[in-house]
Amino acid sequence: MLFGKKQEITNTETTVYARAKINLTLDVTGKREDGYHTVKMVMQSVALHDEVRVTVTHGEKKPRGIVVRCNLPYLPVDERNLAYRAAELFYESTGILLETCEIHIEKRIPVAAGLAGGSADAAAVLRALASLHAAGLTDEELCAMGLKLGADVPFCLRGGTMLAEGIGEELSALPDMPHCWVVLCKPPFAVSTKEVYQAIDAVDIRQRPDTAGMLKALDRGDFAGVCRRLSNVMELVTAAKRRQIGEIKEFLAENGANGTLMSGSGPTVYGLFSDEGRAKTAAKMLGRRFADTFLTETV
Ligand code: ATP
C-alpha cells in the first residue's frame, strides 16, 4: 500500500537589530514639485535598537501570509506598520512565493520621536528576508526597495555616519564620527513629521547648519568641532511650540554634554558626551523626569 508523502514543514529565522538614528545636522534646501522637501543632513546611527525577529515557514497546509506582532499594544500590526509593508514589498518585488512570514518587533526606540524607528524596522525586515530567502539582492537594490517605503529607509539599511541629500535617499558615506556617549530624551508628546515639514515653509531660516564645516570636522575626527556644529532647522518649528525642547537641551549642557540638538523633526533631544560617567549621571537625573530617557552610544 502506498501512502501520500507528508509535506515537510521547514522554518528559518533570523533576528536583526533595527538601530535608531540621530541627526548631527538637518537643513531643508528646497521643495520638489511633488511636494517633498529636499534636505541636506548628516545622520548617525546609535546603539539603541528595536529587535526584529523574522521567521519564514514553508510547507504549512494553510500558509498564513504576513503576521506582525509587537510588544507595544498600541502600534498597528497590519498594513499601517512599516515592517508589514516592507515584507509585502519584498515578496511583490522579488516574486518569491509568500507562504508564512512572521515578524516580531520588540520595540525600544520611542515612536514618532525623530529617531526613524519605523524606517529602521522596515530596513531590518528587508535585510532579514533578503538573507532568509538568499535573494541575492545588492545593497543598491535593497536601498531602491527601501526608498519606496520611506526616505529614511535607505540610511537605515546602511547605518554609520552618512551625508543624506535629495529627499534623504542620496547617501554618501562619511568617516565614522568619533565614538561618544549619547543621552536621548523624548519628552512626553509625539510630533508629526509631515506637519513639521509643512510648517518649516513659513519659517524665516536665518541661520543654516554649516554642513561643509561639519564634514571637515568629521574628516579630522574632531569631536569638539562636531559638537560645535550640531544644527537642525526643524528646531525652529518644534522648539517654538514646546518649551521642553529648550529645557532638556539646557539641562544636558549644564550636566556635561559637549553638544546638544533635537533629532529629525523631534521631539527627541540628545546630548553628546565624551565622558561616560557624566552621560550616565545626566541620563539618570533626566530619567526621573522623562521616562523615555536612554543612555546609548554611536555605532
Ligand atoms: P522619522 O524620523 O523617520 O519621521 P519617527 O521616529 O519620527 O520617524 P516613527 O517612530 O517611525 O517616527 O513613527 C512614525 C509613525 O509611523 C507613527 O505614528 C507610527 O504609528 C507609524 N509606524 C508604522 N510602523 C511603525 C513601526 N514599525 N515602528 C514605529 N512606528 C511605526
Side-chain angles (χ1 to χ4, degrees), residues 21 50 74-76 80-83 85 105 107 109-119 121-122 152 191 193 264-266:
K21 65 88 190 162
D50 296 340
Y74 58 83
L75 261 195
R80 288 168 294 169
N81 195 303
L82 262 184
R85 292 216 293 280
I105 307 169
K107 196 98 201 134
I109 305 173
V111 175
L115 299 170
S119 304
D121 293 347
D152 284 345
V191 157
T193 304
S265 44

Side-chain angles (χ1 to χ4, degrees), residues 245-268:
I245 306 287
E247 286 172 5
I248 298 168
K249 286 182 70 171
E250 217 174 288
F251 179 89
L252 287 164
E254 280 168 4
N255 286 278
N258 303 83
T260 65
L261 194 69
M262 186 184 83
S263 183
S265 44
T268 302

Side-chain angles (χ1 to χ4, degrees), residues 20 48-50 72 74-75 107-118 184-187 189 266-268 291-294:
L48 176 70
H49 61 271
D50 296 340
L72 295 186
Y74 58 83
L75 261 195
K107 196 98 201 134
R108 299 201 191 104
I109 305 173
V111 175
L115 299 170
L184 293 173
C185 178
K186 181 192 167 277
F189 52 87
T268 302
D292 276 337
T293 301
F294 303 85

Side-chain angles (χ1 to χ4, degrees), residues 104-293:
H104 180 89
I105 307 169
E106 195 63 28
K107 196 98 201 134
R108 299 201 191 104
I109 305 173
V111 175
L115 299 170
S119 304
D121 293 347
V125 167
L126 292 180
R127 278 245 177 262
L129 288 176
S131 145
L132 290 175
H133 287 289
L137 294 165
T138 62
D139 268 4
E140 287 68 31
E141 286 167 329
L142 271 181
C143 284
M145 218 183 264
L147 181 59
K148 293 186 183 161
L149 299 161
D152 284 345
V153 181
F155 170 78
C156 293
L157 279 159
R158 302 195 43 195
T161 312
M162 296 253 172
L163 173 68
E165 294 172 280
I167 58 163
E169 85 291 17
E170 288 169 21
L171 297 173
S172 319
L174 300 172
D176 286 344
M177 119 161 232
H179 174 269
C180 67
W181 301 95
V182 183
V183 175
L184 293 173
C185 178
K186 181 192 167 277
F189 52 87
V191 157
S192 154
T193 304
K194 203 174 157 193
E195 282 170 22
V196 177
Y197 269 88
Q198 277 164 355
I200 195 77
D201 292 335
V203 175
D204 177 21
I205 305 173
R206 301 224 169 122
Q207 213 182 340
R208 291 193 174 269
D210 173 15
T211 314
M214 176 61 87
L215 299 189
K216 282 185 193 146
L218 287 166
D219 264 339
R220 293 193 301 269
D222 170 9
F223 179 64
V226 168
C227 291
R228 273 200 306 277
R229 290 177 182 85
L230 298 176
S231 175
N232 176 357
V233 295
M234 294 306 187
E235 267 190 13
L236 297 170
V237 177
T238 310
K241 284 193 196 146
R242 303 284 194 158
R243 62 180 166 72
Q244 279 129 316
I245 306 287
E247 286 172 5
I248 298 168
K249 286 182 70 171
E250 217 174 288
F251 179 89
L252 287 164
E254 280 168 4
N255 286 278
N258 303 83
T260 65
L261 194 69
M262 186 184 83
S263 183
S265 44
T268 302
V269 172
Y270 69 81
L272 302 183
F273 292 76
S274 55
D275 186 289
E276 185 182 6
R278 285 180 159 210
K280 266 188 183 158
T281 308
K284 206 168 155 188
M285 290 197 291
L286 209 47
R288 288 193 199 118
R289 197 169 147 207
F290 299 104
D292 276 337
T293 301

Side-chain angles (χ1 to χ4, degrees), residues 74-125:
Y74 58 83
L75 261 195
V77 288
D78 53 18
E79 302 78 16
R80 288 168 294 169
N81 195 303
L82 262 184
Y84 186 107
R85 292 216 293 280
E88 200 172 47
L89 177 68
F90 175 86
Y91 286 103
E92 272 168 23
S93 3
T94 57
I96 292 170
L97 180 70
L98 165 64
E99 292 184 54
T100 300
C101 166
E102 289 168 283
I103 299 166
H104 180 89
I105 307 169
E106 195 63 28
K107 196 98 201 134
R108 299 201 191 104
I109 305 173
V111 175
L115 299 170
S119 304
D121 293 347
V125 167

